Amino acid sequence: MLVAAAICPCPPLLVPEVAAGAAPELDAARTACTDALGVLAASRPDRLLVVGPAGESGRGPHPEGTRGSFRGFGVDVDVRLGAEAAEAAGELPSALAVAAWLLERTGWSVAPVEGLGVGEPLAPERCFEAGRDIGGRPERLALLVMGDASACRTLKAPGYLDERAAGFDEEVGRALGAADVAALKALDVELAYELRVSGRAPWQVLAGAAEDAGLTGTLLYEDAPYGVGYVVAAWS
């Protein structure tokens, strides 16, 4: 059963070595992520499942011990999912590597960790079904859900300026902050795609897992410092 969830953004820029001189610009987001992980730790789960967007090569389960790297961003930083675990085969997709970095940064040792990469185009019903399977596990389960909102908030954003982006992100922030499962299920898939939202599918997996969990939410951070919507929330 789902006992808690943390929702965090997944830009590699959260890793200070990647952000370099711009690192202080995301200090508030990092602090919020730390607070959200604190909520997960306080729930004393039997297992932590990290869910995040992934391309075809990064989809599927990622066992504890799977490695990730930020070398592709020009820095000598490697991570591993579950610092105490033996090394496992495969490589984490970028979003899950950011999650592994967050967990290492906060010294996560509460429960075993595993990862699930979700294809960003995954249809809502399949997301809900995957979430229901997760929420139906008998163990006390916590979720760390990675994903960004729109990438079209400003002229310099990766997706350029789209006037629809601010309203979409506002609804996402409200839904994640309020643990509004129905609103997350109702997200416009086509609009999310057009706005280059990476978190839609992971958030809808969360919605399926949380259907009967009765969790309440708290919005910890919401901003778009690089024209990309970043939201941090905690459910418990």
Side-chain angles (χ1 to χ4, degrees), residues 43-144:
S43 73
R44 294 295 173 185
D46 298 321
R47 183 171 300 274
L48 174 64
L49 177 62
V50 181
V51 180
E56 292 296 328
S57 62
R59 293 169 60 179
H62 298 277
E64 190 166 29
T66 305
R67 286 194 172 274
S69 174
F70 297 97
R71 294 175 185 270
F73 298 94
V75 297
D76 187 15
V77 177
D78 297 313
V79 293
R80 188 167 62 182
L81 197 62
E84 301 302 321
E87 186 171 346
E91 183 173 351
L92 296 172
S94 175
L96 269 61
V98 173
W101 179 83
L102 288 171
L103 291 168
E104 288 185 7
R105 179 175 182 261
T106 56
W108 178 268
S109 61
V110 178
V113 185
E114 63 184 81
L116 177 64
V118 180
E120 292 179 44
L122 193 66
E125 283 302 328
R126 293 188 62 191
C127 293
F128 307 151
E129 181 181 355
R132 292 182 190 114
D133 289 343
I134 291 167
R137 296 186 186 185
E139 61 191 344
R140 290 174 56 83
L141 185 71
L143 289 181
L144 171 54

Side-chain angles (χ1 to χ4, degrees), residues 15-37:
V15 180
E17 291 88 343
V18 175
E25 295 176 17
L26 287 180
D27 279 347
R30 295 184 192 97
T31 298
C33 290
T34 298
D35 292 343
L37 290 177

Side-chain angles (χ1 to χ4, degrees), residues 7 17 30 42-43 127 140 146 155-156 166 168-169 189 219:
I7 299 93
E17 291 88 343
R30 295 184 192 97
S43 73
C127 293
R140 290 174 56 83
M146 309 298 290
L155 293 173
K156 293 184 178 181
F168 182 92
D169 288 358
V189 177
L219 184 64

